[in-house]
Amino acid sequence: QVQLVESGGGSVQAGGSLRLSCAASEYTYSRSCMGWFRQAPGKEREGVAARYIGGIGTYYADSVKGRFTISQDNAKKTLYLQMNSLKPDDTAMYYCAAAPKICSGRWSSIEYFSYWGQGTQVTVSS
């Protein structure tokens, strides 16, 4: 059964940091492009970062470059999103996603991903 379980969300002040985790089942983890998306109230879901688990290829949205870092722990089958210098505009529900293929230039499209977690809320106050 395909499962993605996010954790690590919370409330922080602007300038603070959070680290999100996404624990994946074996099926999704070992052969996937995995990514983080976010959705703020009244806005469309947008791609934040993605990484191909099986090799090279890391992608970031321009809005988070230099502040967010996507990484993985293969032993734990877990994807991370380290978020530094958080801004109120980063407030959103954050979702982990997986696609059984390599990442590509289309990584930021929600249609590219087949599997989704339930989301974890991140709130940044000014």
Side-chain angles (χ1 to χ4, degrees):
Q1 184 176 358
V2 174
Q3 281 192 321
L4 300 171
V5 181
E6 303 100 330
S7 60
S11 297
V12 296
Q13 290 189 327
S17 299
L18 283 173
R19 188 177 78 158
L20 306 183
S21 301
C22 173
S25 62
E26 177 65 36
Y27 176 82
T28 51
Y29 187 82
S30 63
R31 63 190 78 175
S32 295
C33 174
M34 294 188 70
W36 290 97
F37 284 71
R38 66 186 181 187
Q39 188 166 20
K43 295 187 177 181
E44 293 186 351
R45 191 171 298 189
E46 63 174 359
V48 175
R51 183 181 181 93
Y52 179 56
I53 298 301
I56 62 173
T58 301
Y59 305 81
Y60 293 98
D62 289 342
S63 59
V64 305
K65 281 181 181 176
R67 299 189 299 122
F68 291 11
T69 302
I70 189 171
S71 63
Q72 65 196 66
D73 184 328
N74 291 340
K76 296 181 179 180
K77 298 182 182 60
T78 300
L79 183 75
Y80 300 101
L81 185 69
Q82 178 67 44
M83 306 185 294
N84 298 328
S85 301
L86 282 162
K87 305 174 181 179
D89 284 349
D90 295 318
T91 296
M93 184 71 79
Y94 283 70
Y95 297 91
C96 178
K101 52 192 171 183
I102 63 173
C103 295
S104 75
R106 294 176 54 230
W107 72 269
S108 61
S109 170
I110 60 173
E111 290 78 15
Y112 194 76
F113 291 87
S114 306
Y115 307 107
W116 294 85
Q118 82 288 352
T120 185
Q121 178 68 38
V122 171
T123 303
V124 185
S125 59
S126 58

